[in-house]
Amino acid sequence: MRKISLLTTLLVSCFFGVNAQSKIPTDTVVTTQHEATINGQHFTYYVHKGMQPVWNKDGKVAATVGYTYYERAGVSDKSTRPITISFNGGPGSASLWMELGYTGPVRVNLDDAGHAVQPYGLKENPYSILDATDIVYVDPVNTGYSRIVDKDAKPSMFFGVNEDIDYLAKWISTFVTRNNRWLSPKFLIGESYGTTRVSGLAAALQEPTIGMFLNGVILVSPTELGIRRDGPINEAINIPYYAATAWYYKKLPADLQQKQLTDILPQIEDFTVNQLIPAIAKGGSISESEKQNIETQLERYTSIKKEVWDQNNLDVNTNLFWKELLRDKGYTIGRLDSRYLGIDERVSGSYPDFNAEIPAWSRSFSPAANYYMRNDLNFKTDVPYLVLSDQVYPWNSQGDRTGAQLREAMEENPSLHLLVQSGYYDGSSCNFFNAKYSMWQMATSANLKARMEWKGYPCGHMVYMDKPTMIQGDKDIRDFIKNAIPANNKSSDYQVSTMDVAQ
């Protein structure tokens, strides 16, 4: 990637002190011009690195939200050019992970397995989706450069499931209006907690006060989306992830180990739904013979010994699994990506001392992002860029019904499609079987099910850390965007063919 020229536009430069830091612009944008070759196409694009206000109900600037807007040059008709608005998770995470790891035109310097390569920095990403869609990466309040700027603003205005959705829906409406993108096909993409955010936003944007209807929502490693998983479901739902991870470390019996992962997972998912959940539901009434049979199968599918399952009443939680799977070799495994190994002070214990993958990820992304914003994008400020921020807590998690909101948005909008991407080795509450379960609860009609698509990949929570997966994942997003846009002159309403109408 080469920067060709610099175009600077200052919309309104208002400055407020923040936590004794020098100054932060609340409404400004710096534009740079670049070239890239993506998906075999060479083209020019602009990067608009800016800040846009959040106003309170009285019209006063309460906060400023940072964004990076990638716009392909030379597109005269923006009504046919998609725009995708992207968020990361946390809550408390800036959006650099998706921007510099996955869908953007530059990528952190990683090897094919996702490990940081010295020296830290960036390289071109020829697999970006920028050939197919313009992209806006948004940093919610108190992440990235985004900050509360009104000393009288209450944190409760921003830091909660529904509060977050409310102000960001208004922010998106303003952004789309300012950039004249109302006629463009529109997509939202979120990773991890960002999936909670964009699921709620899909419904909030459709409200009459805004009236913005999307073409697609992409959920990367989705959360539980407020869908309840009580009792036996909660205790059993991790088993397919355990099996995938045991397979990765070659811990399964030979007849399973010699097969492809995707060939053995269906039988393990079937066991989980049709045998394990009913067995757990029986509690103390389960017969000894049935319990022994279930424990034998659990050992077969997870490599965790029968005695451990028995000692834990058929409920080995994730902490114990991360500690137990490779205990005999002196390693723990990662939470968000179980392909990463850690070591603890003691081999004994029921949970790891730390998440093995987090230090590996942070030491590559943070230096690269700080350099990129200041040098390549020419966005200069003394305000620290918050990669992972604790300044969003306490977070109000009450009233999370974002899965239901996404379903309702799809019911109301026949043109809204859903793509879900999951990593088989993600051991968090965002694991792949959790994602499937959420989709089952949301697909309440054949029409909805036909507009939902799930993709699984041999990777962890951050699907793009594995280069082959990153390439395939970007292709799947590109194809999804293309297929979710209706043909010209096609009605977006539900229709019943004359063959189906009662005579």
Side-chain angles (χ1 to χ4, degrees), residues 403-423:
Q405 287 174 308
L406 179 54
R407 173 182 53 76
E408 291 163 3
M410 294 184 71
E411 290 171 346
E412 295 174 7
N413 178 5
S415 295
L416 180 55
H417 294 71
L418 174 65
L419 171 65
V420 177
Q421 297 183 318
S422 299

Side-chain angles (χ1 to χ4, degrees), residues 10 203 207 225 270 293 317 319 323 416 421 491:
L10 294 180
E207 290 294 323
L225 305 178
D270 180 78
N293 177 58
N317 63 33
N319 276 316
K323 185 78 174 181
L416 180 55
Q421 297 183 318
S491 171

Side-chain angles (χ1 to χ4, degrees), residues 10-32:
L10 294 180
L11 300 176
V12 181
S13 293
C14 302
F15 295 91
F16 295 84
V18 180
N19 297 333
Q21 296 157 358
S22 56
K23 292 179 179 179
I24 185 169
T26 62
D27 201 344
T28 185
V29 60
V30 177
T31 298
T32 50

Side-chain angles (χ1 to χ4, degrees), residues 337-462:
D337 192 331
S338 293
R339 297 173 301 166
Y340 286 77
L341 298 175
I343 56 172
D344 285 351
E345 180 182 5
R346 298 180 180 180
V347 174
S348 64
S350 58
Y351 55 87
D353 290 350
F354 68 98
N355 294 333
E357 71 283 352
I358 295 296
W361 292 347
S362 295
R363 62 176 170 258
S364 56
F365 275 80
S366 184
N370 277 276
Y371 182 89
Y372 178 62
M373 306 296 179
R374 174 171 287 272
N375 293 278
D376 287 17
L377 304 188
N378 203 40
F379 192 85
K380 294 179 169 61
T381 176
D382 290 331
V383 175
Y385 186 84
L386 300 178
V387 175
L388 295 171
S389 170
D390 61 0
Q391 296 181 32
V392 303
Y393 296 100
W395 186 269
N396 180 12
S397 298
Q398 300 300 310
D400 180 358
R401 56 181 305 275
T402 50
Q405 287 174 308
L406 179 54
R407 173 182 53 76
E408 291 163 3
M410 294 184 71
E411 290 171 346
E412 295 174 7
N413 178 5
S415 295
L416 180 55
H417 294 71
L418 174 65
L419 171 65
V420 177
Q421 297 183 318
S422 299
Y424 292 123
Y425 310 124
D426 180 0
S428 69
S429 59
C430 306
N431 72 60
F432 77 92
F433 197 59
N434 249 309
K436 285 188 173 184
Y437 180 82
S438 292
M439 294 178 72
W440 295 339
Q441 309 315 305
M442 292 162 56
T444 53
S445 73
N447 185 288
L448 289 179
K449 188 175 182 180
R451 286 186 276 141
M452 295 180 178
E453 184 178 9
W454 179 86
K455 296 282 189 178
Y457 305 93
C459 59
H461 185 75
M462 297 166 76

